[in-house]
């Protein structure tokens, strides 16, 4: 039985349950009877895990989904379609309190032809309710989506999914990105970046991954294109931007999770039952009124990364 | 001679994919930098990007060609936000070039 309501504080419990199912063998039956509201990260986490099980030829059956409280929402964001259930989409708006971005698949390879920018632009416009390319919330959402999707695409080795939602009442935008790939520790183990050490735990790998200048691939070559372009800054900059705007970031991989709320010390914990899950799962939340000047947020974030602009560089702009 | 890259035509209005940026640097920009003349990046129509894209392209270029970059590379039609991204990438590239030295 799937949990009725999943928000950031109890997301690790859902991940623990998915990890437990993943560990078992045989058919999977997911009972949606009680499902009432899930944050986008929970939706894409289940999508990623079900996709993984189906790829492993495990039988997956969804039951009681048509009567659950979240049915229309899940149907409208193409959750069921992504799992192979072709249900007619409702054309009427779901609820004027919500704006939802449908579940998108993110191919996780170094395919340079993949038009990540187009998906990000469409998702951010839907999330922010504007197509004004200079809207600060839109710019912030694009940036976060782009960095999170890029991270999943480059490091997971599996298929990733992204979805988002804006809730008018509390003025919260939420974005979730999930992949059922190799996870952060295994990515470090395979690529052996300088900060990796034998015996590293999931908790230590997660802590490292959120720091600037840490990447599992920056020391490697990028296929035929010479040096890797990874600098290990993408996710760290998203985290810093969220912390500076009183936002939240939840990240889980293996058996561990970290939950950052503004500038408070992160909550660090283990998934329910101490289970370990394949992949990486990220949820962010920000308030639109906190991101009213994206350029200033960017400048401040670059300063915290010690990226002080060189006055000589201003001469390069025509 | 001037080598002009229209970023919007190449990558759209939001420059997102760091792998694309790195491949572009290697296959298009590095060869252009080896030729005579300026290499100009035109950002007309580009409204946003990720640090991953900007750093993979420009920080790596600065790190590889710390002197040539400042004599030959130019940027045009950048709004203030795009400028800040590029200035940050140049700062990062200079830092990396010192580490390599």
């Amino acid at each position: 039985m799937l949990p009725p309501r999943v928000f950031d504080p109890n997301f690790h419990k859902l991940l623990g349950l998915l990890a437990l199912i993943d560990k078992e063998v045989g058919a999977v039956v997911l009972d949606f009877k009680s499902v009432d509201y899930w944050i986008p990260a929970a939706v894409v986490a289940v999508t990623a895990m079900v996709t993984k099980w189906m790829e492993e030829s495990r039988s997956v059956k969804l039951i009681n989904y048509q009567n659950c409280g979240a049915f229309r929402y899940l149907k409208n964001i193409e959750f069921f379609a992504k799992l192979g259930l072709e249900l007619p989409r409702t054309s009427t708006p779901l609820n004027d309190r919500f704006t939802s971005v449908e579940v998108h698949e993110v191919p996780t390879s170094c395919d340079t032809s993949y038009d990540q920018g187009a998906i990000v632009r469409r998702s951010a416009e839907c999330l922010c309710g504007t197509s004004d390319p200079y809207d600060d919330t839109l710019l912030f959402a694009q940036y976060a989506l782009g960095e999170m999707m890029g991270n999943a695409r480059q490091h997971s080795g599996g298929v990733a999914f992204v979805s988002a939602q804006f809730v008018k009442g509390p003025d919260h935008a939420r974005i979730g990105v999930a992949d059922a790939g190799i996870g952060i520790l295994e990515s470090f183990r395979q690529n052996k970046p300088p900060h990796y050490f034998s015996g590293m735990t999931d908790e230590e790998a997660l802590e490292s991954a959120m720091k600037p200048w840490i990447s599992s691939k920056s020391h490697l070559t990028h296929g035929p294109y010479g040096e890797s372009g990874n600098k290990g800054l993408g996710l760290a900059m998203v985290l810093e931007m969220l912390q500076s705007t009183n936002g939240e970031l939840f990240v889980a991989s293996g058996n561990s999770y970290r939950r950052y709320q503004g500038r408070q010390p992160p909550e660090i914990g283990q998934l329910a039952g101490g289970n370990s899950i394949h992949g990486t799962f990220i949820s962010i939340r920000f308030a639109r009124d906190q991101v009213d000047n994206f350029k200033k947020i960017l400048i401040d974030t670059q300063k915290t990364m010690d990226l002080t602009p060189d006055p000589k560089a201003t001469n390069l702009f025509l | 001679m001037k080598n002009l890259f229209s970023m919007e035509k190449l990558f759209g209005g939001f420059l997102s994919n760091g792998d694309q940026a790195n491949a572009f640097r290697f296959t298009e920009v590095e060869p252009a930098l080896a030729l005579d003349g300026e290499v100009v990046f035109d950002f007309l129509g580009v409204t946003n990007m990720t640090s991953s894209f900007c750093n993979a392209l420009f920080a790596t270029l600065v790190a590889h060609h710390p002197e040539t970059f400042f004599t030959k590379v130019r940027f045009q039609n950048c709004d203030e936000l795009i400028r800040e991204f590029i200035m940050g990438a140049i700062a990062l590239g200079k830092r990396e070039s010192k580490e390599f030295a």
Side-chain angles (χ1 to χ4, degrees), chain A residues 18-148:
Chain A
L18 294 172
L20 180 67
I21 298 170
D22 191 47
K23 208 162 61 176
E24 291 168 351
V25 288
V28 178
V29 179
L30 297 177
D31 188 344
F32 281 76
K33 188 176 180 181
S34 309
V35 175
D36 185 41
Y37 176 78
W38 287 354
I39 54 172
V43 173
V44 289
V46 172
T47 311
M49 293 308 293
V50 170
T51 302
K52 173 181 180 283
W53 297 329
M54 292 195 301
E55 281 173 358
E56 292 168 350
S57 301
R58 281 179 81 175
S59 161
V60 182
K61 194 173 176 189
L62 314 185
I63 61 169
N64 294 321
Y65 55 87
Q66 284 181 306
N67 300 317
C68 78
F71 175 67
R72 285 183 64 209
Y73 163 58
L74 294 174
K75 189 172 68 162
N76 269 16
I77 63 169
E78 304 274 318
F79 167 76
F80 297 113
K82 286 285 179 292
L83 303 185
L85 283 172
E86 296 299 336
L87 302 174
R89 212 175 152 176
T90 313
S91 57
T92 51
L94 183 68
N95 180 327
D96 63 9
R97 278 190 65 226
F98 295 97
T99 307
S100 300
V101 176
E102 65 189 48
V103 176
H104 285 285
E105 189 174 322
V106 184
T108 53
S109 71
C110 291
D111 177 5
T112 54
S113 64
Y114 167 59
D115 193 358
Q116 182 177 296
I119 293 179
V120 170
R121 273 199 317 278
R122 280 200 303 275
S123 300
E125 282 174 16
C126 181
L127 183 65
C128 300
T130 175
S131 55
D132 172 5
Y134 299 103
D135 178 89
D136 283 286
T137 317
L138 182 90
L139 293 168
F140 188 90
Q142 281 181 339
Y143 184 87
L145 277 160
E147 291 293 8
M148 289 162 71

Side-chain angles (χ1 to χ4, degrees), chain A residues 217-229, chain B residues 22:
Chain A
K217 291 190 171 174
S218 56
H219 63 301
L220 303 175
T221 53
H222 173 205
Y225 308 120
E227 179 187 324
S228 163
Chain B
N22 199 48

